[in-house]
Amino acid sequence: MTQVSVDIVSDIVCPWCWLGLRYWDQARALVPEIQTETVYRPFQLDGAVPREGVPYSDYMKKKFGDGPDDRFKMMREHLEAAGPEAGIQFRFSGIPVRPNTLDAHRVIRWAQGQELGEAASERLHKAFFDEHLDIGDAAVLARLAGEVGLDAEIVSNLLATDRDRQEVLEEEQFFRRLGVQGVPCFIFNGQFAVSGAEAPEVLADAIRQAASLPQDDDDAG
């Protein structure tokens, strides 16, 4: 069976990323004859957010404004309408905190080491957008990690240290240097990228294209 390696660069507080991950799941089902290996890569939309987070509504108003041409309102309405078809629910109203996501990316990194990266990413997105949990809080992250199969106590102890903090930052910078400026970004076999939450059919075509190309031994590691 042909195998395609895909790096998905994303951030947990990016709603398009959650939608894109669901579209990716549907895309793989469209090409069952091609095996895909998915690697989740970190990206912080705003690494300057303090570790304790900031009030969500204030943050979004500052970023997008709240006038009659409120871009956030339009984006939110579009996503809330598109979400159910992808099997997800966005509940923007009531999100209390815009967190710093570095620690959440550390958890995904550890989960991926146990082949639980997809489960961790999905759980964290749902926790933030649907359940309104503070995914910058170490206790919340440890509990969610336990729900997807990691040892919650070990994760809690690791989060109290700087373990893999620098490695996550360096990995993010690697993909920024490659030219990734927005997420989600799907990088196929380290050879070409598809940016944005594209439809499953578009992603499936990209899988087929990647499978037809000569394999590159220098894929991003």
Side-chain angles (χ1 to χ4, degrees):
M1 178 180 288
T2 304
Q3 179 166 318
V4 171
S5 176
V6 181
D7 295 291
I8 301 182
V9 188
S10 64
D11 196 6
I12 302 96
V13 294
C14 166
W16 300 103
C17 290
W18 195 15
L19 195 60
L21 293 177
R22 286 301 182 92
Y23 287 165
W24 173 244
D25 195 42
Q26 295 174 26
R28 289 182 294 181
L30 294 175
V31 282
E33 71 280 7
I34 302 174
Q35 182 179 351
T36 55
E37 178 189 14
T38 305
V39 183
Y40 295 87
R41 303 294 190 177
F43 191 96
Q44 295 181 92
L45 289 173
D46 187 354
V49 172
R51 296 196 75 173
E52 67 273 14
V54 294
Y56 184 77
S57 59
D58 293 348
Y59 178 88
M60 298 307 284
K61 285 178 182 178
K62 183 177 180 181
K63 183 174 181 178
F64 291 102
D66 58 357
D69 59 344
D70 181 358
R71 289 181 296 140
F72 174 56
K73 182 175 182 292
M74 291 186 288
M75 178 192 76
R76 181 181 64 201
E77 290 173 349
H78 173 80
L79 286 162
E80 287 174 343
E85 187 176 349
I88 58 181
Q89 183 176 14
F90 291 108
R91 297 196 305 123
F92 294 101
S93 297
I95 296 177
V97 176
R98 195 322 187 163
N100 180 292
T101 57
L102 179 57
D103 284 346
H105 285 300
R106 292 166 71 199
V107 170
I108 291 175
R109 178 185 180 91
W110 301 329
Q112 194 155 244
Q114 298 186 37
E115 299 185 351
L116 294 169
E118 183 171 354
S121 182
E122 168 66 25
R123 185 67 189 93
L124 289 171
H125 278 94
K126 180 176 176 60
F128 179 68
F129 286 110
D130 187 14
E131 299 173 3
H132 295 173
L133 299 179
D134 180 2
I135 58 170
D137 181 87
V140 171
L141 286 172
R143 176 169 63 81
L144 295 174
E147 290 182 13
V148 299
L150 296 176
D151 186 308
E153 184 177 356
I154 290 177
V155 170
S156 179
N157 291 337
L158 287 172
L159 287 171
T161 72
D162 286 334
R163 176 72 176 271
D164 286 341
R165 182 180 173 85
Q166 189 60 37
E167 286 80 359
V168 169
L169 291 171
E170 290 174 358
E171 190 175 354
E172 177 185 2
Q173 286 305 311
F174 172 82
F175 285 95
R176 286 185 182 274
R177 287 194 298 272
L178 281 184
V180 176
Q181 297 179 328
V183 289
C185 183
F186 301 81
I187 303 175
F188 293 82
N189 286 347
Q191 296 175 298
F192 68 93
V194 174
S195 296
E198 292 288 355
E201 294 77 13
V202 173
L203 293 171
D205 283 343
I207 294 173
R208 295 186 189 99
Q209 179 184 346
S212 70
L213 295 174
Q215 297 298 301
D216 186 346
D217 293 332
D218 295 326
D219 289 352

